[in-house]
């Protein structure tokens, strides 16, 4: 009875790991695609880098700019982490399957 449970556990575990790895990959790619829609919003901040415009910006404009940068960096960082974890999980799963 115990052997049957172990034999049933391996394919289910393999399937769950594959699904989890693919889910992380897809979510990471979708997150990057979703944030690529901010390109028109980024165009608004192109003038932010000149010295003259830096001195003329209001506090609200600085707050919006910093919030945008924070959201942009956090989103892309989490997307890269998701994609890397998905690849690592898929590679480990395939390696484990080959060694069994």
């Amino acid at each position: 009875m115990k052997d049957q449970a172990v034999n049933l556990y391996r394919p289910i575990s393999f399937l769950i790991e594959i699904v989890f790895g693919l889910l992380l990959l897809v979510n990471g790619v979708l997150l990057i695609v979703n944030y690529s829609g901010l390109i028109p919003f980024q165009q608004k901040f192109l003038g932010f880098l000149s010295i003259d415009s830096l001195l003329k910006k209001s506090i609200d404009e600085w707050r919006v700019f910093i919030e945008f940068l924070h959201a942009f960096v956090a989103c892309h960082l989490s997307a890269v982490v998701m994609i890397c974890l998905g690849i690592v999980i898929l590679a480990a799963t395939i390696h484990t399957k080959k060694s069994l």
Side-chain angles (χ1 to χ4, degrees), residues 2 4 8 17 26 31 40 43 60 65 71 82 85 90 94:
K2 190 175 183 180
Q4 290 175 346
L8 194 66
E17 289 174 5
V26 169
L31 202 54
Q43 300 295 331
D60 287 334
F65 179 68
M82 277 190 222
L85 279 176
L90 287 174
I94 291 170

Side-chain angles (χ1 to χ4, degrees), residues 40-92:
F41 193 62
Q42 290 171 340
Q43 300 295 331
K44 181 180 177 183
F45 293 118
L46 286 178
F48 226 86
L49 300 177
S50 68
I51 302 244
D52 293 335
S53 68
L54 287 177
L55 299 174
K56 296 177 184 177
K57 297 296 179 187
S58 69
I59 291 175
D60 287 334
E61 288 174 321
W62 276 105
R63 183 184 53 79
V64 169
F65 179 68
I66 291 171
E67 287 176 0
F68 166 74
L69 284 180
H70 177 262
F72 191 74
V73 169
C75 176
H76 280 78
L77 185 65
S78 62
V80 168
V81 168
M82 277 190 222
I83 290 171
C84 290
L85 279 176
I87 291 171
V88 167
I89 289 172
L90 287 174

